[in-house]
Amino acid sequence: MDFQAAEKKAAELQNLLNQYGYEYYVLDKPSVPDAEYDRLMRELTEIEEQFPELKTQDSPTQRVGGEILDMFKKVEHNIPMLSLGNAFGEQDLRDFDRRVRQAVGEKVSYVCELKIDGLAVSLRYEKGMFVRGATRGDGTIGEDITSNLKTIRSIPLRLSEPATLEVRGEAFMPKKSFMALNEAKQKRDEEPFANPRNAAAGSLRQLDPKIAASRNLDIFLYGIGDPGETGIESHSEGLDYLEKLGFKTNKERRRAANIDEVIKFVESWVERRPDLPYDIDGIVIKVDSLEQQEELGTTAKSPRWAIAFKFPAEEVVTILKAIELNV
Ligand SMILES: CC(C)(CNC(=O)c1ccc(Oc2ccccc2)cc1)c1ccc2c(N)nc(N)nc2n1
């Protein structure tokens, strides 16, 4: 095959594989069997071996990066990554709601989101291309873990439109992957991870991207660095915009017209929590209107328009289950 034909074929395969990857990892609705995906990936890999200049930054073959790093570079977040105040009971939620309504006066509606028990990360895209991923760090300075985040299949390497923005989300390890990883560790007489959050953090702190790639990590995005630039008016519209761009968001989110509906949603998740395929440590409640968020503003640490309801810690049964599996 001459270069012209190879260039055309490679572009076709990259688009096809990125589409199939999106359907499988983001929508969880694969449209082709794995064998077909693997065959196309092998075909693209061969062409890129023959013509290395065709290895584009967003080629699906570039997910599991090259060299082992000797350290992570420091990264300054353009927009700080703030933290959340906590609520531990119904009264805390009602106090939060009263403070909010006193400040913005009229009716307030909320968005409730699951609080995934993972690692907060920030993804930067320029003209639609994934250029950098970082840990939260102290909120202002994080660590550049781009090569490890590229191995998370649900992170798009190129967006559906050439947007330049920073998005925030939670990288995590699904419970099934956590159990399998600890079983494998036990078999190798290695120290198991205490919980999926530690396992996700430990995996993203690996200097060798091949190890991160083997850990079946996933991610849910929940925020846009500076929504102001997108003309979006509410947080829920912001999440819809993230989906339109090709990001994976958590579908268990719910709008609430008032704090009573928030409390009902929180109560429903206390018992539904064990049925989820990933750990959550609470529910995040956010004022939906961006105008009201602006009015409320943020302290140096956290927004006044959001709060995290924390569940009581689930006793650590995961290790015992893994040992049971072994027996
Ligand atoms: C709400 C926010 C704290 C993100 N927002 C920010 O980090 C943030 C950052 C600058 C902001 O405003 C500024 C802009 C420029 C300069 C200074 C502040 C506002 C919000 C947050 C934190 C953790 C979350 C979590 N674990 N799960 C879910 N589902 N949502 C979460 N949301």
Side-chain angles (χ1 to χ4, degrees), residues 78-85 112-118 120 136 168-170 220-227 235 250 281 283-286 293-294 297-303 305-308:
N78 301 35
I79 308 255
M81 290 178 72
L82 302 182
S83 52
L84 289 162
C112 303
E113 301 172 8
L114 301 187
K115 189 171 181 303
I116 312 299
D117 198 0
R136 180 179 177 284
R168 273 79 201 267
E170 201 84 1
F220 287 120
L221 283 308
Y222 55 64
I224 299 172
D226 185 354
H235 178 70
N250 191 289
D281 62 343
I283 302 290
V284 180
I285 297 109
K286 300 174 182 175
Q293 288 188 5
E294 276 294 304
T298 70
T299 66
K301 263 173 55 359
S302 53
W305 41 265
I307 195 161

Side-chain angles (χ1 to χ4, degrees), residues 10-30:
E12 261 168 41
L13 289 169
Q14 283 163 358
N15 288 332
L16 210 47
L17 285 161
N18 280 332
Q19 176 58 27
Y20 291 157
Y22 169 73
E23 290 161 356
Y24 187 96
Y25 293 104
V26 176
L27 301 184
D28 196 13
K29 289 198 196 91

Side-chain angles (χ1 to χ4, degrees), residues 33 127 160 226 240 285 327:
K127 299 193 183 64
S160 60
D226 185 354
D240 297 341
I285 297 109
V327 172

Side-chain angles (χ1 to χ4, degrees), residues 257-271:
N258 53 53
I259 200 65
D260 294 323
E261 287 186 15
V262 167
I263 290 165
K264 263 196 224 99
F265 181 82
V266 166
E267 283 166 351
S268 75
W269 279 102
V270 173
E271 52 258 17

Side-chain angles (χ1 to χ4, degrees), residues 101-117:
R101 280 183 294 107
Q102 265 158 2
V104 294
E106 67 274 29
K107 258 189 67 58
V108 179
S109 71
Y110 296 104
V111 178
C112 303
E113 301 172 8
L114 301 187
K115 189 171 181 303
I116 312 299
D117 198 0

Side-chain angles (χ1 to χ4, degrees), residues 166-230:
E166 275 184 25
V167 293
R168 273 79 201 267
E170 201 84 1
F172 65 95
M173 185 179 290
K175 288 177 183 169
K176 259 209 204 97
S177 310
F178 170 69
M179 304 298 269
L181 174 62
N182 268 357
E183 235 189 275
K185 274 183 169 289
Q186 236 119 22
K187 285 212 172 74
R188 294 195 302 262
D189 249 352
E190 281 173 20
E191 189 64 22
F193 283 107
N195 54 52
R197 180 174 44 76
N198 289 7
S203 303
L204 287 172
R205 261 203 302 270
Q206 290 292 326
L207 290 165
D208 177 0
K210 285 183 185 51
I211 298 179
S214 71
R215 296 287 174 84
N216 302 313
L217 297 173
D218 203 344
I219 191 168
F220 287 120
L221 283 308
Y222 55 64
I224 299 172
D226 185 354
E229 296 157 7
T230 52

